[in-house]
Amino acid sequence: MSMGKRLGAEFLGTFWLVLGGCGSAVLAAAVPTLGIGFAGVSLAFGLTVLTMAYAVGHVSGGHFNPAVSLGLVVGGRFPAKELPGYIVAQVLGAIAAGAILYLIASGKAGFDVTAGFASNGYAEHSPGGYSLVAALVCEIVLTAFFLIVILGATDARAPAGFAPIAIGLCLTLIHLISIPVTNTSVNPARSTGVAVFAGGWAVQQLWLFWLAPLIGAAIGAVIYKMVLADERR
């Protein structure tokens, strides 16, 4: 598969993740009487990954996340030379989705993008008021386990054809745990795609939602290689 098609698949997959996941948070989470709440947003994020992993995973590998791409490099599943291109495609896809979501959301009277716009945050910008340290630990640990699940589900020894289901459900669980803490990132592209439109504090705190997922992904990959990988390979 050509690099152009692979990058296009990553762009589309990340676009769908941000539009579906963040869109559910911005447009549907708090609708009176019909709002989907935290659980609905968590499921939406999981469904975006599950659906696009089946749709384009055979083209690009279905990363949709710079942290996942890095973790796969550390885990020996992805060539380092292709990492920059994947990250650029993912971030551009996320920003494009953020732009579409902004256009839709701003069509409602009273819309205020500075209220958060599904951005990730800590301290006073954490949904539950969790500290910077709590947010850092949460994002590192959950991203590490996300990579362990991804590497395990896509291992040659795992049942074939079920990886997108396991990965999508894992992302759902991650959101159920951490939406109150950070609004859940575990994905620097997802965080960037909405923060650039929210501006202000969302951009100022964006560093954590790059640093923590990247560290967590590397840790998860190392753990998988040391503890769970097939020693014969």
Side-chain angles (χ1 to χ4, degrees):
M1 194 68 66
S2 71
M3 179 56 74
K5 288 187 176 181
R6 293 165 63 195
L7 296 181
E10 285 297 303
F11 178 96
L12 292 173
T14 314
F15 179 98
W16 187 237
L17 184 151
V18 173
L19 184 63
C22 295
S24 69
V26 171
L27 304 175
V31 177
T33 71
L34 297 176
I36 61 176
F38 282 3
V41 173
S42 300
L43 182 59
F45 271 101
L47 289 174
T48 62
V49 169
L50 188 156
T51 52
M52 289 307 287
Y54 274 122
V56 304
H58 58 284
V59 177
S60 67
H63 302 184
F64 318 141
N65 181 339
V68 170
S69 296
L70 176 65
L72 293 174
V73 169
V74 175
R77 302 278 191 89
F78 186 67
K81 66 181 181 180
E82 297 181 4
L83 181 61
Y86 265 55
I87 291 177
V88 170
Q90 292 156 359
V91 171
L92 290 177
I95 292 173
I100 295 296
L101 180 56
Y102 178 83
L103 288 174
I104 295 170
S106 61
K108 181 179 179 180
F111 169 69
D112 180 10
V113 70
T114 63
F117 198 55
S119 297
N120 302 113
Y122 54 83
E124 66 271 26
H125 300 296
S126 157
Y130 289 83
S131 68
L132 184 157
V133 173
L136 187 67
V137 171
C138 184
E139 289 287 329
I140 289 174
V141 172
L142 292 180
T143 311
F145 273 88
F146 192 33
L147 261 293
I148 290 170
V149 170
I150 290 170
L151 290 168
T154 57
D155 195 296
R157 298 167 293 167
F162 293 99
I165 298 173
I167 295 167
L169 289 176
C170 180
L171 190 60
T172 298
L173 176 60
I174 285 170
H175 279 78
L176 288 171
I177 295 168
S178 60
I179 285 179
V181 183
T182 62
N183 222 16
T184 310
S185 172
V186 302
N187 184 339
R190 167 263 186 269
S191 299
T192 303
V194 290
V196 296
F197 293 95
W201 66 264
V203 173
Q204 293 167 9
Q205 296 192 352
L206 186 58
W207 67 269
L208 187 145
F209 303 104
W210 274 87
L211 180 64
L214 292 175
I215 291 173
I219 291 172
V222 169
I223 291 173
Y224 191 85
K225 286 181 69 176
M226 293 180 62
V227 179
L228 302 170
D230 189 347
E231 295 178 351
R232 298 169 294 178
R233 298 182 64 189

